[in-house]
Amino acid sequence: MLVRTALMGTALVGGPLSTSGFSNPHHHHGMTRPAVLSKTARFSTLERPKTTDDDVVVVVERGSSESVPPTAWECDEEAECVEVPACNGESCRTSLDVRIHGLWYDLSGWRKAHPAGPHWIDWYDGRDATEVMDAFHSAKGREMYKRLPKSSPETAAVLDASVAPYSQTELNFRKLRAKLEEEGWWERDYVHEATLLGIWTSLFVASAYTVDTAPPLSAFLLALSMTNAGWLGHDYIHGVDKFANTLRPFAAIAAGLGPTWWSDKHNKHHALTNEMGVDEDIATDPFIFPYVPAPEHDSPLRKVQHYIFFVPFSFLFALWRVDTLKVAVDSVETKRPDAKNELWYLLAHYFVLLSIFPATLWVPAVFLSGLMSALIVTPTHQSEEFFTEYQPDWVTAQFRSTRNAVTTNPFSEWLWGGMQYQLEHHLFPSMPRSKYPALKPILTKFAEENNVPGGYRESGEFDILYMNWDLYRRVAMADAVPGAPYSRGNGQLGAIDLGTSPGAGGVGLGKLL
């Protein structure tokens, strides 16, 4: 498919187009764009190239010899940017526009320097990223983006007319966040942190001590230590303070889970919670179906999933470990930040694990830990609403897709690792988990005052487990639904960087105008 566009002076003619070969649930604003480029690169082609059915190419013809050569941006890791030629004789780079706190920024020159990878920025091209920016970045990072170049006025005008305006709930949430930051809610309780690390150390040492004298006990303690290490590593990878940055390798050393893999997968879940075809945490088929699939994506296992759910649950940690090693090797090859050190941390983990524990002990521990972890992380989202479209109101979407668990005893409170406060964590992922219990009444009041659908959702720890099991039972009993969304409709692992956002390809060709 080849689309021609003529650039005559300042007149650019075009229409609404899709950059993918399949229907895209994220095109929900019906935006009319001046031009659309290839989904695999942010370049317009000056000479007609060879194309495939999946490519959309813009051919630009200059109508005046007096045209000013187009420029683009190149940025370093400190967000210091310089203007450079946009064209190299064969292609021209376009803008990549993201809205943050009401202003549009051209992040085309920043995407490669972004420490978390370019795919995140690509996904938010033509969208608002205010809440995601605030939730995942340090104070330094939240100041750095202000140095990046602004989008052209023409591009900003087109996008402002096409994206959803901020809801009052979003605006009120930003006020709440600013108030909490001013009050010091991100300050750590180091006694609490030391206690949690002390419990993990005790479990690991006790497991090693009982390897020969009580193997079943050793395996159980090792499983508890693995689960606990996962929650602690989860806290530190989300954290944005010096303490968390120092302990960021903990997940790799203690749990065999890489921070890079975790950030890529888990932060996507946070940013796009329960979005079908994007959120990997609800893409558990063909072993577990959280919603009824289309016939072509069905599996016989669905009919018995409420009886066998514990089997795929048990594989959770094992699969995560395999994925971690794949991403770690790939990160070294693609030279992602700190990739080599991360691989060394993982090798150190397996050296200690295999030196102390026989396979007959640590393998069962991995599967038991996976079962415990899955029973905790799964019901807090799968019992709630799923979305077939991109949700522009991120705050309301978190309330609608999340349910908390009310624990009944101190052991459960520790074992759940802060995940019982799932809503608090999703709205404030970088906040230390020790603050979450005190945050509960504040969010309950916020939901009431802003008329959030469903309000602050919570259930007892056993009730929420039953709700999740009953969901699997109801899905198992239902007939397949023709046309139901596929969990991997946008690519389970590659959904973010498919170029399917409203601004894909550069609205108005940026500086080419």
Side-chain angles (χ1 to χ4, degrees):
M1 177 171 58
L2 179 68
V3 178
R4 286 186 177 275
T5 304
L7 181 60
M8 307 294 289
T10 59
L12 185 63
V13 181
L17 301 165
S18 172
T19 58
S20 61
F22 46 80
S23 61
N24 175 28
H26 299 286
H27 286 293
H28 62 292
H29 296 306
M31 182 180 76
T32 300
R33 293 176 286 162
V36 182
L37 304 184
S38 167
K39 70 180 181 180
T40 56
R42 321 205 78 73
F43 295 91
S44 62
T45 304
L46 298 178
E47 298 179 0
R48 180 169 181 167
K50 295 180 181 179
T51 62
T52 66
D53 290 341
D54 289 333
D55 287 328
V56 178
V57 179
V58 173
V59 178
V60 181
E61 301 174 4
R62 298 200 175 278
S64 171
S65 60
E66 298 178 358
S67 299
V68 177
T71 59
W73 298 96
E74 287 292 342
C75 307
D76 61 19
E77 294 182 357
E78 295 300 318
E80 299 292 345
C81 303
V82 295
E83 214 162 359
V84 298
C87 303
N88 61 11
E90 296 180 357
S91 60
C92 292
R93 193 174 68 200
T94 69
S95 63
L96 195 166
D97 308 284
V98 178
R99 185 176 67 175
I100 305 174
H101 285 286
L103 296 176
W104 289 95
Y105 294 85
D106 179 359
L107 306 187
S108 59
W110 167 244
R111 65 187 297 274
K112 287 187 177 180
H114 186 226
H119 52 285
W120 283 105
I121 296 176
D122 289 352
W123 183 257
Y124 283 94
D125 187 12
R127 290 177 172 154
D128 186 86
T130 302
E131 266 63 56
V132 174
M133 180 70 201
D134 289 346
F136 298 142
H137 294 82
S138 64
K140 177 184 177 182
R142 290 164 63 194
E143 287 298 317
M144 282 175 59
Y145 81 83
K146 298 176 183 178
R147 300 200 293 266
L148 296 171
K150 304 290 194 304
S151 300
S152 70
E154 296 86 356
T155 297
V158 172
L159 288 170
D160 274 333
S162 64
V163 301
Y166 293 132
S167 69
Q168 192 59 50
T169 301
E170 289 177 287
L171 297 175
N172 291 341
F173 178 77
R174 291 170 197 174
K175 293 178 182 177
L176 172 61
R177 182 183 179 91
K179 180 175 180 292
L180 294 175
E181 287 180 331
E182 185 178 347
E183 293 174 353
W185 283 69
W186 274 259
E187 296 176 4
R188 288 196 178 266
D189 180 349
Y190 290 104
V191 173
H192 182 265
E193 301 292 348
T195 300
L196 293 178
L197 286 168
I199 292 173
W200 173 81
T201 302
S202 299
L203 287 169
F204 183 80
V205 171
S207 177
Y209 184 75
T210 55
V211 165
D212 297 322
T213 57
L217 176 61
S218 177
F220 178 67
L221 293 175
L222 183 60
L224 287 177
S225 75
M226 289 179 176
T227 301
N228 192 21
W231 300 146
L232 288 170
H234 167 262
D235 292 348
Y236 303 145
I237 296 171
H238 270 303
V240 294
D241 57 325
K242 291 182 179 180
F243 177 82
N245 289 336
T246 301
L247 289 177
R248 183 178 173 86
F250 182 86
I253 297 171
L257 303 176
T260 299
W261 162 81
W262 185 265
S263 295
D264 286 353
K265 172 187 181 297
H266 189 64
N267 285 344
K268 182 169 65 173
H269 160 68
H270 269 262
L272 303 156
T273 310
N274 280 15
E275 289 194 19
M276 298 178 180
V278 181
D279 184 357
E280 293 177 43
D281 283 16
I282 60 172
T284 53
D285 52 292
F287 305 102
I288 294 289
F289 290 82
Y291 59 89
V292 183
E296 63 270 24
H297 298 136
D298 205 354
S299 166
L301 292 175
R302 178 171 66 87
K303 292 299 182 179
V304 294
Q305 65 178 17
H306 52 308
Y307 297 125
I308 65 166
F309 71 94
F310 60 89
V311 176
F313 273 20
S314 299
F315 277 82
L316 182 70
F317 252 30
L319 293 174
W320 284 0
R321 285 170 174 267
V322 172
D323 288 345
T324 282
L325 291 172
K326 290 180 179 178
V327 171
V329 172
D330 180 71
S331 297
V332 172
E333 294 176 349
T334 56
K335 299 180 180 180
R336 294 188 65 172
D338 206 38
K340 289 184 178 180
N341 287 336
E342 186 173 311
L343 186 57
W344 281 114
Y345 296 142
L346 290 169
L347 292 175
H349 164 81
Y350 283 102
F351 175 79
V352 173
L353 185 68
L354 300 179
S355 297
I356 298 176
F357 303 98
T360 54
L361 193 152
W362 69 261
V363 171
V366 168
F367 283 90
L368 178 57
S369 180
L371 176 61
M372 289 189 290
S373 301
L375 288 171
I376 289 171
V377 300
T378 301
T380 53
H381 292 297
Q382 287 193 3
S383 302
E384 302 311 304
E385 298 172 49
F386 295 162
F387 308 115
T388 58
E389 294 183 335
Y390 170 73
Q391 299 296 300
D393 185 343
W394 183 83
V395 178
T396 299
Q398 296 305 321
F399 275 93
R400 292 173 59 194
S401 61
T402 307
R403 179 173 294 272
N404 282 7
V406 181
T407 56
T408 57
N409 57 79
F411 177 77
S412 289
E413 183 74 7
W414 167 80
L415 182 63
W416 275 72
M419 296 301 97
Q420 64 270 47
Y421 304 103
Q422 191 70 267
L423 178 62
E424 288 80 357
H425 173 61
H426 263 252
L427 291 173
F428 304 101
S430 61
M431 182 184 290
R433 74 160 103 151
S434 61
K435 308 291 185 181
Y436 291 157
L439 193 56
K440 175 180 175 179
I442 296 175
L443 292 183
T444 302
K445 182 180 178 182
F446 179 90
E448 294 172 352
E449 292 177 346
N450 289 275
N451 298 314
V452 175
Y456 184 98
R457 307 178 185 191
E458 64 177 353
S459 298
E461 61 180 316
F462 298 110
D463 292 333
I464 198 172
L465 290 173
Y466 175 78
M467 290 172 63
N468 195 215
W469 177 85
D470 189 56
L471 170 70
Y472 293 154
R473 181 189 63 81
R474 288 184 282 110
V475 170
M477 299 299 179
D479 294 329
V481 178
Y486 184 35
S487 67
R488 295 163 181 81
N490 288 328
Q492 183 184 9
L493 295 177
I496 285 180
D497 57 357
L498 284 180
T500 52
S501 60
V507 175
L509 291 182
K511 290 248 175 178
L512 288 180
L513 285 175

